[in-house]
Amino acid sequence: MVAEPGGPDDQKPQSDEARSAFSQPAGVGKSAPSSDDDHPTSEFSLPSGLAPESQGPASGQGTGSASGSDTIGSAFAPPRTYDARNSPPAFTPAHGIPMIQLTKEAPWQDRMRTMLRMPVAERPAPEPVQRHDDAGPAVPRVLDLTLRIGELLLAGGEGAEDVEAAMFAVTRSYGLDRCEPTVTFTLLSISHQPSLVEDPVTASRTVRRRGTDYTRLAAVFRLIDDITTEEGEISLEEAYRRLAEIRRNRHPYPGWVLTLAAGGLAGAASVLVGGGPVVFLIAALGAMLGDRLAWLCAGRGLPEFYQFVVAAMPPAAMGVALTLTHWSDVRPSAVITGGLFALLPGRALVAGVQDGLTGYYITASARLLEVMYFFIAIVAGVLLALYGGLQLGAELDPEARFITHDRPVVQILASMVLTLAFAILLQQERATVLAVTLNGGVAWVVYGAMARTGGLSPVAATAAAAGLVGLFGQLFSRYRYTSSLPFITAAIGPLLPGSATYFGLLGVAQNELDRGLASLSTAVATALAIAIGVNLGSEISRLFMRVPGAVGGANRRAAKRTRGF
């Protein structure tokens, strides 16, 4: 075909400048084909002679062969070898993941503890109780308020799980989702991730000082309960104001009342192990003297270890002095045992074992290490006094522990007085003193009935009585919507192993290591029985409560952190 004039061929320039610089000049023939080394193929290309597999349609919805085109299927299309009938079960069931709905009738402690024991992917979305503006909650202020509340709880002796539950309750009430609190012995931290594409916001706070004030602890629990309740509106400013009032609140009992309570506790403990009115007065005097010396050391800035050493020396010195005077109707061992009851760290022991049983092993290790240091300090103070008395010729009788004293009415009254004095030392609210006093009396009745009347092992009887204390304490706390510590800690006072500790130290001081170590082992076993019994009683009490969980009556989730394999 001949091109028409004015066509595209007539418009091509005929000059040499218009040709490509890489085109062959006129008159030069085609070159020979180059070898494969000059034009290497891709290592991902198919070898020659192998036909490519037919691809599915471009939509990716079929598994049959495509029509000659090399279309690429969708990345979400199942592979050619997929068979729905023989496929493995999917991660998500056909009916979906069951939705978790937390009942509003349950206390916030149980609801938040259920949240802690859920996987992160299964936690329900927060339902904000407190209002905020359209811009959303002030994340830094909510996190700071949460850390301040957690600091007061941890410094007051609460367990790590309860502190994390309280922090969860505050953040969820103000509408913050995806929050992860972390509690250790001296450090609290919380992390909030606004969304999956934003950086998380993390804040932390260190607990510098620890103090025992259960009145302040109860006030913090009331604040958390008001924040998590829909009836009352607690803004961030109001929460900060109430938290400042709690911090500035004075202790309910002055210092001289605490000193008298320490004396009453030691005197009641001495009567509990067989002492009389004179022993009561002498044990109370020694405990009050030790308490004042400990206050003096604290004012001088000495560590708490040395405060315990100084506080343990006056009661032991009183017992040694009675031995040197050869009073026939006075038991020196009862005086020393009463002083030990006022110093044994039962509160820290229960908290440490509880943290270990609930899976917070770092915090539990730190608390138990603290208990060990306090116990060593008490041992050092008592041994100094006993060694001094032995050098002066004091004859302390280690066989006095085998003398039985069946005075049930007097001992029940003494156990209640001991619990009352312990409650005052813990700075409890006056409204809770009567309940915890009755709880301590019941605990001693159960222990006496099992160990003295029934002839059971003292360790087993102690564990059963402590379990009853934990059961009643947890029920009391749920009835009043407050912490269980004010109803438990003082009630375990009559069960503390004061006499076993004293006779163990006496055996060590008299160079009878076998007898001394055996008695100290009994004291350690009794202390562990108290802590485990209290925790077990608290867990049993939750079995009788309405359980927050999934729709359809799902069981309460336990903490599954280690499974042993």
Side-chain angles (χ1 to χ4, degrees):
M1 180 182 293
V2 180
E4 298 180 359
D9 294 339
D10 291 345
Q11 295 177 2
K12 293 181 181 179
Q14 302 298 324
S15 61
D16 294 337
E17 288 82 358
R19 295 192 180 92
S20 173
F22 299 96
S23 62
Q24 296 180 355
V28 178
K30 295 183 179 181
S31 59
S34 59
S35 62
D36 293 339
D37 296 337
D38 296 336
H39 298 281
T41 58
S42 171
E43 59 181 337
F44 298 101
S45 62
L46 294 173
S48 59
L50 180 62
E53 294 183 359
S54 59
Q55 301 291 336
S59 60
Q61 296 178 357
T63 57
S65 61
S67 58
S69 60
D70 295 333
T71 56
I72 299 177
S74 172
F76 298 96
R80 245 179 10 91
T81 57
Y82 176 77
D83 186 3
R85 181 172 300 176
N86 299 322
S87 62
F91 177 78
T92 304
H95 51 78
I97 297 177
M99 182 178 63
I100 304 298
Q101 293 181 353
L102 300 180
T103 59
K104 299 295 183 181
E105 292 79 7
W108 64 264
Q109 296 99 316
D110 290 335
R111 289 188 281 121
M112 294 303 112
R113 186 178 287 108
T114 304
M115 292 286 299
L116 286 175
R117 296 180 178 182
M118 284 184 188
V120 179
E122 298 182 15
R123 290 174 184 168
E127 299 178 4
V129 177
Q130 305 301 329
R131 299 179 181 177
H132 49 76
D133 53 14
D134 296 336
V139 175
R141 297 194 66 191
V142 172
L143 297 184
D144 179 71
L145 175 67
T146 303
L147 289 174
R148 291 177 183 272
I149 290 176
E151 178 190 9
L152 288 180
L153 293 178
L154 188 61
E158 277 289 346
E161 187 179 29
D162 293 327
V163 176
E164 285 194 0
M167 296 171 71
F168 250 121
V170 175
T171 55
R172 293 182 67 85
S173 297
Y174 284 105
L176 295 187
D177 194 9
R178 294 182 294 275
C179 288
E180 287 294 335
T182 303
V183 176
T184 57
F185 186 58
T186 57
L187 180 65
L188 299 99
S189 63
I190 186 168
S191 177
H192 167 66
Q193 189 172 10
S195 66
L196 297 178
V197 296
E198 297 182 62
D199 295 333
V201 181
T202 304
S204 61
R205 195 171 182 87
T206 303
V207 179
R208 299 293 183 184
R209 297 185 59 186
R210 298 177 180 272
T212 305
D213 189 345
Y214 284 175
T215 301
R216 177 180 296 177
L217 192 67
V220 176
F221 266 78
R222 282 193 294 269
L223 173 60
I224 300 173
D225 186 62
D226 293 341
I227 291 176
T228 56
T229 304
E230 296 181 353
E231 286 74 12
E233 182 177 350
I234 307 294
S235 62
L236 286 174
E237 289 74 14
E238 177 67 15
Y240 269 107
R241 185 190 64 79
R242 290 181 57 176
L243 196 62
E245 289 181 356
I246 293 173
R247 286 180 174 274
R248 292 195 300 265
N249 188 24
R250 300 178 64 87
H251 299 302
Y253 307 104
W256 63 272
V257 174
L258 298 180
T259 301
L260 289 178
L265 192 156
S270 64
V271 174
L272 201 63
V273 294
V278 178
V279 172
F280 179 93
L281 293 176
I282 296 176
L285 181 61
M288 288 189 291
L289 180 59
D291 182 76
R292 286 291 92 189
L293 289 177
W295 277 87
L296 181 61
C297 294
R300 299 296 180 181
L302 286 179
E304 201 168 8
F305 178 87
Y306 300 105
Q307 297 176 28
F308 271 81
V309 173
V310 172
M313 293 179 66
M318 289 281 186
V320 171
L322 289 176
T323 304
L324 293 175
T325 56
H326 301 286
W327 281 18
S328 58
D329 56 345
V330 177
R331 295 185 61 207
S333 60
V335 175
I336 301 176
T337 301
L340 290 177
F341 266 88
L343 295 176
L344 291 177
R347 174 182 59 87
L349 175 66
V350 171
V353 175
Q354 180 180 359
D355 287 341
L357 294 177
T358 52
Y360 296 84
Y361 302 115
I362 297 178
T363 307
S365 301
R367 289 186 189 272
L368 294 178
L369 185 63
E370 181 187 37
V371 171
M372 186 188 71
Y373 272 107
F374 290 162
F375 189 78
I376 291 176
I378 296 172
V379 168
V382 174
L383 283 180
L384 286 175
L386 292 180
Y387 276 127
L390 291 177
Q391 296 299 322
L392 295 175
E395 297 180 359
L396 297 171
D397 185 12
E399 301 296 331
R401 58 179 170 177
F402 298 108
I403 301 176
T404 59
H405 301 276
D406 294 328
R407 300 178 299 172
V409 177
V410 175
Q411 289 181 330
I412 291 173
L413 293 177
S415 66
M416 296 178 68
V417 173
L418 189 153
T419 305
L420 174 64
F422 204 173
I424 295 176
L425 284 175
L426 295 173
Q427 302 279 1
Q428 289 191 198
E429 290 182 309
R430 293 177 175 87
T432 63
V433 170
L434 178 60
V436 71
T437 301
L438 294 177
N439 200 8
V442 171
W444 181 258
V445 169
V446 173
Y447 171 79
M450 296 181 66
R452 301 287 176 84
T453 306
L456 296 180
S457 169
V459 176
T462 301
L468 198 62
V469 167
L471 175 63
F472 287 164
Q474 199 67 236
L475 294 177
F476 283 144
S477 67
R478 291 302 183 265
Y479 176 74
R480 298 177 61 91
Y481 287 90
T482 184
S483 173
S484 61
L485 289 181
F487 301 97
I488 291 177
T489 306
I492 64 173
L495 304 176
L496 292 175
S499 58
T501 303
Y502 162 68
F503 288 112
L505 297 179
L506 180 60
V508 174
Q510 293 180 343
N511 204 19
E512 298 179 359
L513 297 181
D514 294 340
R515 177 181 296 174
L517 292 179
S519 185
L520 289 178
S521 300
T522 303
V524 172
T526 304
L528 292 178
I530 292 173
I532 295 175
V534 167
N535 181 265
L536 182 60
S538 300
E539 293 294 331
I540 292 176
S541 67
R542 297 190 180 101
L543 299 178
F544 302 98
M545 301 176 186
R546 184 172 181 179
V547 179
V551 178
N555 295 327
R556 175 173 175 261
R557 295 170 181 260
K560 296 180 180 178
R561 292 178 174 85
T562 56
R563 297 184 59 87
F565 57 84

